[in-house]
Amino acid sequence: MTFAGYQNEIYLQGLSGGVPPFTTDPDGLEASARERLGPGPFWYVAGAAGSGATAAANREAFDDWRIVPRMLTDATTRHLGTTVLGTAMPAPVLLAPVGVQSILHPDGELATARAAAELGVPMILSTAASHSLEDVAEAGGDSPRWFQLYWPNDPEVCLSILDRAKKAGYTALVVTLDTWTLAWRPHDLDRAYLPFLRAVGTAIPFTDPAFRAGLEKSPEDDLPMAILRWVHLFTGTDKSWDQVAFLRENWDGPILLKGIQHVDDARKAVDAGVEGIVVSNHGGRQVDGAVASLEVLPEIADAVGEQVDVLFDSGIRTGADIVKAVALGAKAVLVGRPFAYGLAHGGQVGVRHVLRSLLADFDLTLGLSGHRSPAELNRDALRARR
Ligand SMILES: Cc1cc2nc3c(=O)[nH]c(=O)nc-3n(C[C@H](O)[C@H](O)[C@H](O)COP(=O)(O)O)c2cc1C
Ligand SMILES: O=C(O)C(=O)c1ccccc1
């Protein structure tokens, strides 16, 4: 069945009085997540850095481009599948690394992994997960999975986590560079809400032998000390571009650097020998006032798109957004908040609904604009608004 088949399924249900389990409208989904979640968890997800200017800019940037549909192109049958850095996926879409998912549903990342596996969509597991990477791997079964690294300051812990990720079948490593400390986030500050201080999102280090070896007492016996060590391990940056070599030497599979917004940093990533980058501003959660992620995508894709795979995130909400990002040079996109809101709607079924809706929308928008596959998309499909 194609992804567009979700549309038929929904309308057919209507004949017997049924409607979709949750809304298909991205803004509506955020609004209903707000009703379901407490203010702490909701704003942790929905919030952004500072005034929210960059989060808003991320969305507005999609409006600067408009799709120009083409007719009679024989786009009835479409193939959405693609392969990125050795991972075959049913569409150019992955689940972004989102930490602390148990604040949204008790099954957290396990539910997300199960929903992703149902559809074959790759999941990128965060270092700040609320379940261990082995448990999430088991929940995902044979489905593709990548691991996102918050680069620990202790090389022994870093090596141990990389080793566990490899053994558990995570094939690519996504190294996030833009969050070596959390930005000023007024919604969370006003509630003094930080999940890690309550040991949510610490499952991977807390189950790590190298991390535990550095503690006088186990996290079970002295939680505050373990949390303190967690904070020190992941905060601050004494890292530099030449240290990417350490990861290169200790990870066999592809490496992507996430958080790239400048052409020169994209070139440095190429020089560092990685296979991919994620053009991302963390969904506007880090540098308030920063440029919209979509704005810098074309120049970065032009500069390094031949040498590395360029992925994109920050602001993807609809099928049209995916069409635009791919047409502007992204090999694939990551989706963040929408699936997190899906998770808040009953766990696995909620994530599944959000993914199926987004992929159906993408499938239909791709076809109706005259394209049979994402590979056919390029800048000819778009027109700049101004
Ligand atoms: C609640 C939340 C937690 C996140 N946690 C992580 C994380 O642990 N690691 C990471 O690299 N990015 C993290 N991100 C950023 C996402 O990977 C992604 O860059 C961002 O959500 C994309 O923007 P979007 O939400 O507009 O789709 C998080 C985002 C949210 C909303
Ligand atoms: O909140 C975030 O954006 C984020 O990336 C994060 C950082 C550390 C732990 C969990 C999530």
Side-chain angles (χ1 to χ4, degrees):
M1 197 187 61
T2 65
F3 287 116
Y6 195 36
Q7 184 195 44
N8 297 337
E9 190 180 312
I10 289 172
Y11 285 135
L12 281 172
Q13 276 171 5
L15 294 179
S16 44
V19 290
F22 314 109
T23 178
T24 55
D25 168 52
D27 291 335
L29 191 79
E30 177 171 311
S32 87
R34 188 175 180 173
E35 285 167 18
R36 285 162 186 261
L37 293 168
F42 174 75
W43 284 109
Y44 188 75
V45 176
S51 69
T54 295
N58 281 341
R59 290 294 306 131
E60 285 159 16
F62 285 92
D63 219 28
D64 290 342
W65 295 97
R66 298 273 160 96
I67 299 166
V68 187
R70 300 298 303 273
M71 299 300 123
L72 299 175
T73 59
D74 189 20
T76 317
T77 306
R78 296 174 297 281
H79 298 283
L80 269 55
T82 185
T83 297
V84 181
L85 299 174
T87 299
M89 48 195 85
V93 175
L94 302 93
L95 292 184
V98 166
V100 296
Q101 293 182 23
S102 64
I103 64 172
L104 302 169
H105 188 277
D107 296 343
E109 294 81 3
L110 304 176
T112 301
R114 290 180 190 122
E118 280 185 275
L119 300 171
V121 170
M123 168 178 182
I124 309 176
L125 181 71
S126 164
T127 298
S130 32
H131 293 272
S132 80
L133 61 85
E134 291 83 4
D135 288 350
V136 178
E138 199 186 321
D142 296 336
S143 198
R145 51 182 164 272
W146 294 3
F147 184 71
Q148 177 263 326
L149 186 72
Y150 275 132
W151 194 343
N153 293 320
D154 178 338
E156 292 302 316
V157 175
C158 185
L159 289 176
S160 176
I161 291 177
L162 293 183
D163 187 51
R164 288 169 65 195
K166 255 179 274 180
K167 287 191 176 129
Y170 295 82
T171 56
L173 188 69
V174 178
V175 184
T176 300
L177 301 178
D178 59 14
T179 309
W180 45 270
T181 195
L182 286 185
W184 185 255
R185 297 179 179 174
H187 286 292
D188 301 337
L189 291 162
D190 287 356
R191 293 176 182 85
Y193 182 82
L194 191 63
F196 328 110
L197 292 190
R198 303 158 198 212
V200 180
T202 54
I204 292 174
F206 281 16
T207 54
D208 191 84
F211 178 85
R212 296 175 71 98
L215 296 171
E216 264 175 41
K217 291 184 187 164
S218 72
E220 297 76 35
D221 291 330
D222 188 349
L223 189 59
M225 273 311 291
I227 293 171
L228 198 65
R229 179 158 151 75
W230 185 93
V231 171
H232 284 146
L233 205 59
F234 294 102
T235 308
T237 174
D238 54 357
K239 309 219 173 56
S240 53
W241 281 97
D242 38 297
Q243 283 173 274
V244 177
F246 174 83
L247 299 175
R248 185 66 291 167
E249 281 156 26
N250 291 291
W251 181 263
D252 304 332
I255 297 179
L256 301 94
L257 300 182
K258 176 171 182 274
I260 303 293
Q261 295 280 276
H262 195 293
V263 168
D264 290 349
D265 282 349
R267 293 205 177 98
K268 285 183 180 178
V270 174
D271 293 343
V274 299
E275 287 79 7
I277 59 173
V278 185
V279 172
S280 166
N281 60 27
H282 216 93
R285 300 165 69 80
Q286 288 298 94
V287 181
D288 186 33
V291 66
S293 194
L294 194 76
E295 237 177 296
V296 295
L297 173 63
E299 65 208 46
I300 292 176
D302 285 346
V304 301
E306 304 268 289
Q307 289 121 299
V308 288
D309 278 358
V310 176
L311 280 66
F312 171 85
D313 81 22
S314 297
I316 296 282
R317 298 292 176 271
T318 67
D321 297 342
I322 303 173
V323 167
K324 291 176 187 180
V326 173
L328 292 174
K331 271 225 119 182
V333 303
L334 279 51
V335 49
R337 290 182 186 85
F339 92 80
Y341 295 140
L343 184 61
H345 287 74
Q348 182 178 349
V349 289
V351 176
R352 180 169 184 264
H353 165 77
V354 168
L355 275 177
R356 291 187 79 195
S357 301
L358 181 66
L359 293 171
D361 182 12
F362 173 56
D363 192 0
L364 290 164
T365 306
L366 186 80
L368 287 169
S369 61
H371 306 94
R372 283 169 294 196
S373 74
E376 288 184 359
L377 289 169
N378 57 44
R379 275 170 227 180
D380 291 342
L382 306 182
R383 172 179 295 202
R385 196 177 171 200
R386 286 152 298 163

